[in-house]
Amino acid sequence: MRDDINIHTHGRVGHISLNRPKALHALTLDMCLAISEALAAWAEDDAIEAVILDHAEGRGFCAGGDINLLRQSALNDGGKAGREFFLHEYRLNHQMFTYAKPIVAFMDGVTMGGGVGISQPCKFRVATENTRFAMPESGIGLFPDVGGGWYLSRLGGRLGQFLALTGARLDGSECLWTGLATHYLPSDKLAEVKARILDNPDRIGGILSEPVGTPPPARIADNADKIAKHFASDTYEDILASLEAEAENNGSEWAAKERDTLGTKSPQTCKVALRELVESAKLDDFADEMRMEYRIGSRVLTRPDFAEGVRAVIVDKTGDPKWDPPTPEGVDEAMIDAIFAPLPADEEWTPLA
């Protein structure tokens, strides 16, 4: 019996329950491999019709990946262990994206980074009043990975660019409004709904769609026009200038807040994210997305911003990262081109055999 993840079956349903509450159920390499192994086995088992993915307890669904491992790898082994983690995490993301049987993710808590990567591929994505959804990588010098480029580039209204750059946190009703969640349930209904799915795995859609009251209004809807206007460009400096002009000329508190938020983020990450979303929107195969993200990840992992961002935000909690380069103007096209360039053939990402 593992102590970091519970994997079992209930009749016709496979059940994966993340169980690292003190780490908000952040994924380790061993957890990724265990989930992947279970999914592979159930894919071949005609007795299993569907899969439930949730967390055992606490306020996290899944807060991300093993950031400490990644930082130690960047500092101590040239990124070798970090690249191995990315290889298998991204294989799991792709395996879930292409999985033939329906998976139901209950995002009842913090859903960030790696948690986005294992919830968004699922056919059914259930948000609650406890959901806190974000891709906060711009604050730690990484980038929106685990398929983030694919999902964010397809949101429309420049919402994906806004989320990738600012790391904004969405609640459950906002996830439903944006389409990042397919359903919304009050958390006190989850046990009953899961029990009904176990009894009727062929009726998941109907069970989740039964009326349970109206979700709260989605606050982000009120800002959708502003996001579409000010985050319209794929050039980072244009976005900053648009927010600055709105804040200074029209006294917009919203624009000033978003401008100041972006002032704390890694310029490198923000430019990488904008390029990533442009390229992701052109792709029609999720494997190509993961191949591109692995190229990016293998390189930004060992660039200065990642170790420094994690130090400032997570290790020392000082909130004072010294970015390198420190300004958007210092991140030139040649640097971004190098981050996106193909890897040697024997180092490229590949899906599970």
Side-chain angles (χ1 to χ4, degrees), residues 90-262:
Y90 296 1
R91 280 180 172 172
L92 171 61
N93 300 146
H94 178 264
Q95 179 185 19
M96 295 179 73
F97 191 94
T98 57
Y99 205 64
K101 298 179 182 182
I103 307 176
V104 194
F106 289 94
M107 310 185 315
D108 180 38
V110 175
T111 305
M112 296 184 184
V116 173
I118 59 170
S119 59
Q120 285 305 297
C122 299
K123 181 175 182 179
F124 302 103
R125 306 178 298 278
V126 182
T128 74
E129 76 278 7
N130 298 320
T131 301
R132 296 293 178 270
F133 180 105
M135 291 297 280
E137 290 81 7
S138 60
I140 57 169
L142 199 55
F143 75 107
D145 67 336
V146 294
W150 182 280
Y151 307 119
L152 296 179
S153 67
R154 286 157 174 77
L155 286 183
R158 304 297 289 184
L159 290 169
Q161 286 75 7
F162 170 74
L163 295 174
L165 295 178
T166 65
R169 300 185 180 191
L170 303 185
D171 63 25
S173 56
E174 290 174 307
C175 287
L176 182 68
W177 185 83
T178 58
L180 291 163
T182 59
H183 298 81
Y184 181 97
L185 291 175
S187 60
D188 60 8
K189 298 284 187 186
L190 292 182
E192 172 193 341
V193 164
K194 289 176 190 177
R196 293 182 61 198
I197 290 173
L198 297 182
D199 289 338
N200 301 280
D202 55 335
R203 290 199 54 246
I204 297 172
I207 292 168
L208 292 175
S209 297
E210 290 179 11
V212 287
T214 304
R219 293 171 302 169
I220 196 171
D222 295 335
N223 295 322
D225 289 346
K226 289 180 273 195
I227 290 169
K229 175 182 177 183
H230 295 294
F231 287 77
S233 178
D234 291 320
T235 301
Y236 188 42
E237 289 87 345
D238 291 350
I239 292 172
L240 295 172
S242 182
L243 291 169
E244 177 70 22
E246 186 71 11
E248 294 302 316
N249 299 337
N250 298 321
S252 167
E253 292 184 10
W254 179 87
K257 172 176 165 287
E258 300 306 337
R259 174 202 63 195
D260 294 346
T261 294
L262 292 179

Side-chain angles (χ1 to χ4, degrees), residues 19 64 70 85 132 141-143 177 219 269 284 295 297 308 353:
N19 191 30
L70 293 172
F85 178 77
R132 296 293 178 270
L142 199 55
F143 75 107
W177 185 83
R219 293 171 302 169
T269 296
D284 55 16
R295 293 169 179 171
E308 170 63 7

